Amino acid sequence: MNIEQMKLVLKEILTRTDLTPCVVGHRGVGKTAGIVQVCREIGWRYAPLRLGQMEVGDLVGIPFREDNVMHWSRPSWWPEDEAPPTLVHCDELNRAQQEDTLQAIFQFVEPPTEGLQRALHTHRLATRHKVVVTINPPDGTYQVATLDRALIDRMVMLYVESDFQCWARYAASRELDSEVRGFLAGNSALLAKQGAAMDMQVEPTERGWEMVSTLRRHCRFPGDLAMEVYAGIIGKEAAITFMRWLADREGRPLTAREVLDDWDNAAQRAAAQRDDVQAATINDLLTTLQLTPQLEPDQEQHLVNYIALLPRDVRFGFVKSLLRIPAVALAISQDKYDAVIYEAIRVIGAEVSTP
């Protein structure tokens, strides 16, 4: 993505979530300038930290004793709770000169656990303040440390590249020298040469998919930007597969909510699903019913209607799993559902009684 796209994505993530964006780009592309512009546009304060120049004491503060208790003084850069919304920019994260500095900042760039505050040692950051990270890619042309996968997994990686049209608009807004702008208009290849690929070895993880879910719930990204953002969380291959799955609505498995709450529209699709797709629907139903086992009368009937459509062996396995959920077992074991459920229960009972 270019700088303008990066700014749009940052605004969405910072104002709507607690996730930590990490902007990856080559020198001079405009990472810091873009972040400062975002702060101005949304009315936030900007607090830069050049981690390549900092030690652990600069981050966690100086220890002092009060009676028999050890405390750490608040660093001068730390935004106070009542301060206006502030964006703390952890610049040059992978240029931290000491390993313990990188380990200290690890906790701070990690998104806060739901209901808690972002922390750094004994300090707690008010929820109105957010964090952004910038780094140069570890492609061999920069003196940077390699970030381990656990740290990468806690951030949304945004890859920013040089783009002449984006720079030309910026140059015009800043009224840069007209001769320079005219020259580069005809020689755009001299603006900046693209470096090596900025691969941070991002891979899909449970935490990554939760971050994707958070972004889909709270943020809106235009066009292909969504795929780029998701690729910075779960990797390019997984992001492409996911986006294709989203686009292929006809081949998508029915969700538990569609089966339970919209059966009239779901019945035909349910009957036509392949066995592998049916398995995805069954897994979603089991997960949903384990969390919320209480069913309304219409939902009971819809669940039984779905069970009736399943092949005999799949039906038995599904009913066997449902019987492990007491509230659901009680609902589907009613006499009025015997035509569908009784045979499955009888077979299951025979399996249990067989020595």
Side-chain angles (χ1 to χ4, degrees), residues 297-298 300-301 304 331-341:
D298 287 346
E300 288 179 6
Q301 186 62 61
V304 173
I332 65 176
S333 299
Q334 298 178 68
D335 292 344
K336 61 182 177 179
Y337 301 135
D338 279 354
V340 175
I341 304 298

Side-chain angles (χ1 to χ4, degrees), residues 28-39:
V29 74
K31 302 185 296 295
T32 298
I35 290 171
V36 172
Q37 290 168 24
V38 167
C39 287

Side-chain angles (χ1 to χ4, degrees), residues 126-331:
T127 54
R128 67 173 64 187
H129 308 311
K130 301 296 176 66
V131 177
V132 66
V133 174
T134 53
I135 63 174
N136 294 128
D139 63 357
T141 63
Y142 302 96
Q143 189 177 348
V144 297
T146 301
L147 302 181
D148 66 40
R149 292 185 178 181
L151 180 54
I152 292 173
D153 190 42
R154 285 163 168 79
M155 300 184 290
V156 180
M157 313 302 291
L158 305 177
Y159 302 104
V160 181
E161 295 181 324
S162 178
D163 178 90
F164 172 73
Q165 293 299 330
C166 179
W167 181 86
R169 289 189 290 271
Y170 165 78
S173 68
R174 293 292 302 275
E175 298 182 352
L176 300 188
D177 183 78
S178 59
E179 298 294 343
V180 171
R181 291 156 52 193
F183 172 76
L184 288 174
N187 299 274
S188 59
L190 297 178
L191 179 64
K193 291 184 178 179
Q194 297 293 342
M198 296 182 288
D199 184 9
M200 298 299 296
Q201 297 183 333
V202 177
E203 296 179 342
T205 63
E206 289 83 348
R207 180 186 289 110
W209 284 112
E210 183 173 353
M211 292 165 70
V212 170
S213 177
T214 298
L215 292 176
R216 284 185 54 78
R217 180 173 299 172
H218 298 288
C219 303
R220 293 295 177 267
F221 305 116
D224 295 335
L225 269 185
M227 202 281 287
E228 288 194 51
V229 175
Y230 301 156
I233 303 173
I234 54 176
K236 187 175 182 179
E237 183 178 350
I240 291 174
T241 303
F242 178 56
M243 295 302 289
R244 286 176 177 170
W245 183 86
L246 290 176
D248 183 18
R249 294 187 177 273
E250 291 186 1
R252 239 198 255 184
L254 284 167
T255 66
R257 293 271 68 95
E258 288 174 311
V259 171
L260 297 175
D261 300 330
D262 192 24
W263 179 250
D264 289 343
N265 293 320
Q268 189 172 357
R269 284 178 56 196
Q273 286 191 147
R274 302 189 312 271
D275 288 351
D276 57 329
V277 179
Q278 212 72 271
T281 299
I282 290 172
N283 287 336
D284 192 31
L285 279 165
L286 289 173
T287 301
T288 300
L289 293 172
Q290 286 166 357
L291 293 174
T292 54
Q294 299 300 327
L295 295 171
E296 298 294 330
D298 287 346
Q299 292 177 322
E300 288 179 6
Q301 186 62 61
H302 296 166
L303 178 61
V304 173
N305 290 345
Y306 175 70
I307 294 172
L309 291 176
L310 296 174
R312 188 170 182 270
D313 54 339
V314 176
R315 183 191 311 171
F316 292 167
F318 185 35
V319 170
K320 188 174 184 179
S321 297
L322 291 175
L323 292 178
R324 298 192 183 103
I325 308 172
V328 178
L330 186 63

Side-chain angles (χ1 to χ4, degrees), residues 79-94:
E80 296 183 0
D81 290 354
E82 63 274 13
T86 302
L87 181 60
V88 181
H89 177 196
C90 296
D91 197 7
E92 304 176 338
L93 180 70
N94 55 351

Side-chain angles (χ1 to χ4, degrees), residues 72-84:
W72 277 260
S73 58
R74 182 178 64 85
S76 60
W77 57 267
W78 189 273
E80 296 183 0
D81 290 354
E82 63 274 13

Side-chain angles (χ1 to χ4, degrees), residues 80-111:
E80 296 183 0
D81 290 354
E82 63 274 13
T86 302
L87 181 60
V88 181
H89 177 196
C90 296
D91 197 7
E92 304 176 338
L93 180 70
N94 55 351
R95 287 182 181 270
Q97 296 300 308
Q98 302 178 24
E99 179 65 23
D100 53 357
T101 303
L102 191 59
Q103 295 302 323
I105 202 65
F106 187 107
Q107 179 190 17
F108 187 58
V109 302
E110 180 177 14

